[in-house]
Amino acid sequence: VMKRCPFCGQDLEPNTDYKACVTAFDLVGNSKTTEKSVTTAPGKPTYLRFSDITYIGATLLWNPSDGATGYNVYQKISDSVPIKLNDSPITSSSYNLEYLDPFTEYTYFVKALNDVGLSDRSNNASVSTLALPKIDGSSLQCSGIYTYTVEDLVDGYAVSWSSSSNLNEQSTSGASANYTKISDGAAWIGANIVAPNGRVLDLKNKDVWVGKPRTVIESIDSEYDDEPEVPGSFPANSGSVRIKTNAYAYINFGAEILKDENLQWNIDYVPTNICNMMQFGDNVTLLGLNPGMSMLAMQAENQCGEGSLAFVSVTVFDEDNSSPFLSVSPNPTTNYIEVNIDVDTTNGAKQLMSKNNKAYVRLYNNRSIPVIDKVFYSEKFTLDTSTLKQGIYQLILIYNGEKYNKQVIVKH
């Protein structure tokens, strides 16, 4: 198409031949015209779109521009200067985008070029890479073989499996793997996927609990000013709390197990003789009723069976008996405990112990069976706990017709 001057002020069409002319006149009316032909740059690419979208890549396509000999692809990054991705002109109408991040949005545009120059930029086009796949399978293992699968894996990707030391990999086949338990407890199953370009992508581990749950105490609080005696830190499998009559204690139990809709709680040794207990899910509220001592135990259960017990020793006391009568240390203990009896009378006089004024001491296990039964004639004495099993014990002391108690934790 040939267009002759004048064309000043007109919008030029892309990929179009134009002829420019200039005529010069002198004073006597002579003239001379010079003509120059020029072709405009190609039109901008259109219909940008994407195919073969994966976790880390995609293919950008566009419709060819007439008169173009090549194309440049640019990545648009917010308000920053766009980045040209290709080192040399692209001679096709597609470009392979690689080394992207999973589950991320990217924006691109394209310019056509020829010997004249670059076209206008195309419209922006955005693509979101795929999120990495998840490892699908049971979050609870009891016994037998359990199968785990990398779900919706893109074709061309290979899978490599791994796991915690308490699981045994039986076999793998493509995107699936079979595991059996070695020992109970917290476990995990991991996998990474290898892209066709060799890039390795780590998937999020699948957390698994193996076997029966472990019941624990998450926290203990009460309206009594004293801090709970044990544990010093949480979570733990045993603790104690002292509350006054008509005061409250709040105990938060938990289970070392992942979410499992079949998880349920079994409550044993409920201290209804001294407390009124209200349960709200994993939380237990105790109201002190009558002075005394008892034990509260919580036991979690899942599809694998009943787990271990978590014990809380509960002591309810009247206001006028809030001062401890005896002290025990160390507590928790391993091999021995030292017991110190406060025998000061109310008028401050020291009361000496004698054969007629002795202390009867018993240490009970959690089945209320005495494991130590002795009589002492001194204000301080030592009990040997080295042969006792690990657990919670109750020290009962009878002195001068009064009964006193203290919880003792034995740990080895």
Side-chain angles (χ1 to χ4, degrees):
V1 177
M2 298 296 293
K3 292 187 178 181
R4 297 185 180 273
C5 52
F7 58 84
C8 297
Q10 298 180 7
D11 291 333
L12 304 183
E13 296 294 331
N15 192 38
T16 304
D17 293 334
Y18 288 92
K19 180 181 287 186
C21 57
V22 176
T23 302
F25 298 89
D26 60 17
L27 294 177
V28 295
N30 297 316
S31 66
K32 184 178 181 180
T33 301
T34 301
E35 295 183 351
K36 181 71 174 178
S37 296
V38 66
T39 301
T40 56
K44 66 181 181 181
T46 58
Y47 190 36
L48 271 64
R49 58 202 183 275
F50 299 91
S51 68
D52 301 325
I53 301 171
T54 67
Y55 315 110
I56 57 172
T59 299
L60 173 62
L61 305 102
W62 58 88
N63 286 356
S65 300
D66 291 338
T69 59
Y71 301 90
N72 289 336
V73 174
Y74 300 82
Q75 181 181 347
K76 186 178 183 300
I77 305 176
S78 186
D79 296 329
S80 302
V81 177
I83 300 175
K84 186 166 77 77
L85 301 182
N86 52 294
D87 295 328
S88 58
I90 301 166
T91 57
S92 65
S93 57
S94 65
Y95 183 76
N96 188 27
L97 303 166
E98 295 183 299
Y99 302 104
L100 307 181
D101 291 327
F103 199 46
T104 304
E105 184 179 79
Y106 296 88
T107 301
Y108 303 93
F109 63 86
V110 180
K111 289 183 179 181
L113 58 89
N114 60 15
D115 293 339
V116 176
L118 290 170
S119 71
D120 292 335
R121 58 188 289 175
S122 69
N123 293 334
N124 294 332
S126 297
V127 63
S128 292
T129 52
L130 302 179
L132 289 178
K134 297 179 180 179
I135 301 174
D136 187 38
S138 176
S139 60
L140 176 66
Q141 287 194 18
C142 296
S143 60
I145 299 176
Y146 289 79
T147 300
Y148 295 85
T149 304
V150 176
E151 57 184 17
D152 301 325
L153 184 66
V154 173
D155 291 340
Y157 281 72
V159 183
S160 177
W161 293 91
S162 59
S163 69
S164 55
S165 59
N166 57 339
L167 292 177
N168 180 47
E169 182 181 287
Q170 291 287 307
S171 61
T172 62
S173 177
S176 296
N178 296 318
Y179 286 89
T180 58
K181 79 169 186 176
I182 296 175
S183 59
D184 291 349
W188 55 267
I189 293 172
N192 58 50
I193 56 177
V194 182
N197 63 6
R199 183 176 171 186
V200 178
L201 303 170
D202 293 326
L203 305 186
K204 182 180 179 181
N205 288 346
K206 172 72 177 181
D207 291 323
V208 179
W209 182 264
V210 183
K212 302 174 183 179
R214 293 175 185 162
T215 316
V216 294
I217 304 166
E218 299 287 355
S219 63
I220 301 177
D221 195 10
S222 72
E223 293 185 330
Y224 180 50
D225 293 336
D226 279 1
E227 293 292 331
E229 294 177 12
V230 286
S233 61
F234 296 100
N237 59 7
S238 63
S240 67
V241 62
R242 288 166 49 85
I243 55 175
K244 301 173 184 177
T245 52
N246 299 316
Y248 288 93
Y250 312 95
I251 306 170
N252 181 27
F253 288 93
E256 292 183 356
I257 185 172
L258 301 169
K259 269 187 179 179
D260 183 357
E261 60 185 10
N262 297 310
L263 182 67
Q264 58 182 315
W265 297 96
N266 300 323
I267 302 177
D268 296 318
Y269 313 118
V270 180
T272 54
N273 58 323
I274 61 170
C275 292
N276 179 28
M277 189 186 81
M278 295 156 282
Q279 183 186 5
F280 304 95
D282 299 350
N283 297 288
V284 172
T285 300
L286 303 175
L287 172 64
L289 295 179
N290 304 307
M293 182 194 69
S294 188
M295 188 80 71
L296 168 66
M298 182 75 86
Q299 183 181 43
E301 178 182 358
N302 62 15
Q303 290 177 330
C304 301
E306 296 179 350
S308 58
L309 289 168
F311 296 94
V312 178
S313 172
V314 183
T315 301
V316 180
F317 60 90
D318 287 329
E319 183 69 27
D320 57 1
N321 190 31
S322 58
S323 299
F325 178 76
L326 71 157
S327 62
V328 175
S329 65
N331 193 9
T333 184
T334 53
N335 297 322
Y336 70 93
I337 55 173
E338 291 183 351
V339 181
N340 184 20
I341 304 174
D342 180 6
V343 294
D344 287 350
T345 60
T346 55
N347 60 13
K350 195 74 170 180
Q351 185 177 7
L352 298 177
M353 301 187 72
S354 65
K355 290 185 178 180
N356 296 325
N357 191 20
K358 51 194 173 183
Y360 298 90
V361 179
R362 280 187 177 180
L363 189 67
Y364 292 86
N365 62 19
N366 58 14
R367 296 183 180 180
S368 299
I369 299 174
V371 293
I372 294 178
D373 188 356
K374 291 188 175 182
V375 177
F376 292 92
Y377 299 93
S378 61
E379 301 165 10
K380 296 182 180 181
F381 53 87
T382 300
L383 297 179
D384 183 5
T385 59
S386 61
T387 60
L388 300 180
K389 293 182 179 180
Q390 180 170 291
I392 300 176
Y393 295 82
Q394 297 301 322
L395 177 67
I396 306 297
L397 185 143
I398 300 176
Y399 172 75
N400 201 22
E402 298 292 334
K403 182 179 179 181
Y404 304 91
N405 66 80
K406 198 78 170 179
Q407 178 179 267
V408 176
I409 305 296
V410 176
K411 290 186 177 180
H412 297 298

